[in-house]
Amino acid sequence: ETGVTQSPTHLIKTRGQQVTLRCSSQSGHNTVSWYQQALGQGPQFIFQYYREEENGRGNFPPRFSGLQFPNYSSELNVNALELDDSALYLCASSPRVNTEAFFGQGTRLTVV
Amino acid sequence: AQKVTQAQTEISVVEKEDVTLDCVYETRDTTYYLFWYKQPPSGELVFLIRRNSFDEQNEISGRYSWNFQKSTSSFNFTITASQVVDSAVYFCALSEAATGTASKLTFGTGTRLQVTL
């Protein structure tokens, strides 16, 4: 039990649509990161938020965007969905930058 | 650029056997962190250990032990007397430690461990 919860657990969307994934971090964890994990691969860093500001971004296009709220919740938004966006999306929270990250159970997104 | 290599894609062992999962990393930073995570079928990544680059002391936690060798850029993970509940995918990860920047984790491709009776 990491105290990080994600919703929904599964989602099916059509190519071209937009999707919002949600994450509720542990209280006091002001750093949240999002990762994309394709089948059979390791997670890939999408971006990180620290105190509601983007604090680093991986190699993902601008149609991947995020928000972090004062109540330790956050969102990942993906516009213009493509088939390759099908993956497990993981949210991770940390009490500070560069400490261990605690992951949620993920949202499995399928784009058809 | 950072890179983590887990050359073993899949390992199968019989319960009670010892098993070592290999991890080799590349980084240009002198200060960095290494991690191991376990991913059971439920999907959640479970944190196992975090080690900074200045601490090469090996660590033991119950049946788990880790061997960090900076000279060979390796951070191997050994499970002693494996159990069926250890079956999962194990990921090694690396984070550079620049203060104030994102603690991006770079993961390896994972090693699937199957422990059978």
Side-chain angles (χ1 to χ4, degrees):
Chain A
E1 182 66 42
T2 65
V4 180
T5 56
Q6 293 186 242
S7 62
T9 53
H10 294 84
L11 198 54
I12 300 175
K13 287 287 193 178
T14 303
R15 189 170 50 180
Q17 284 188 315
Q18 179 266 342
V19 69
T20 297
L21 309 183
R22 294 181 172 83
C23 173
S24 176
S25 306
Q26 284 193 38
S27 178
H29 283 198
N30 54 24
T31 300
V32 66
S33 304
W34 285 88
Y35 291 80
Q36 180 195 67
Q37 186 179 15
L39 204 60
Q41 300 296 315
Q44 300 288 315
F45 177 75
I46 303 174
F47 44 56
Q48 182 180 84
Y49 278 79
Y50 174 66
R51 293 185 175 176
E52 302 164 48
E53 299 276 336
E54 188 177 292
N55 183 43
R57 188 177 185 92
N59 190 25
F60 281 81
R63 60 189 184 84
F64 285 78
S65 63
L67 284 171
Q68 185 186 25
F69 303 101
N71 65 351
Y72 305 110
S73 66
S74 62
E75 290 181 354
L76 165 66
N77 299 290
V78 187
N79 293 322
L81 283 166
E82 300 176 0
L83 296 179
D84 284 348
D85 295 333
S86 296
L88 180 68
Y89 288 85
L90 294 161
C91 164
S93 76
S94 311
R96 294 174 301 282
V97 173
N98 278 321
T99 57
E100 51 269 38
F102 296 93
F103 284 81
Q105 82 283 7
T107 294
R108 186 161 297 284
L109 173 65
T110 303
V111 182
V112 298
Chain B
Q2 302 175 96
K3 186 178 178 182
V4 176
T5 301
Q6 295 180 255
Q8 304 150 307
T9 306
E10 191 160 346
I11 301 175
S12 291
V13 298
V14 176
E15 203 177 40
K16 295 192 177 66
E17 283 186 8
D18 299 347
V19 59
T20 295
L21 309 181
D22 298 333
C23 173
V24 174
Y25 63 91
E26 294 176 32
T27 178
R28 286 178 289 191
D29 271 22
T30 55
T31 304
Y32 51 88
Y33 295 95
L34 295 163
F35 301 79
W36 275 94
Y37 283 87
K38 172 183 179 180
Q39 188 174 44
S42 60
E44 183 174 316
L45 282 166
V46 178
F47 168 78
L48 296 177
I49 189 170
R50 170 180 178 255
R51 175 55 50 87
N52 76 54
S53 52
F54 295 108
D55 183 3
E56 288 193 69
Q57 195 169 17
N58 291 331
E59 182 156 339
I60 298 174
S61 176
R63 297 185 296 108
Y64 296 169
S65 62
W66 291 270
N67 182 290
F68 176 28
Q69 292 200 341
K70 217 166 172 177
S71 60
T72 56
S73 298
S74 65
F75 186 44
N76 296 338
F77 172 32
T78 298
I79 302 175
T80 304
S82 60
Q83 299 176 1
V84 171
V85 293
D86 295 328
S87 298
V89 180
Y90 290 86
F91 290 97
C92 180
L94 167 70
S95 171
E96 290 171 352
T99 303
T101 63
S103 52
K104 160 191 167 183
L105 288 169
T106 298
F107 285 85
T109 51
T111 297
R112 180 177 300 278
L113 174 65
Q114 184 73 37
V115 182
T116 56
L117 293 170

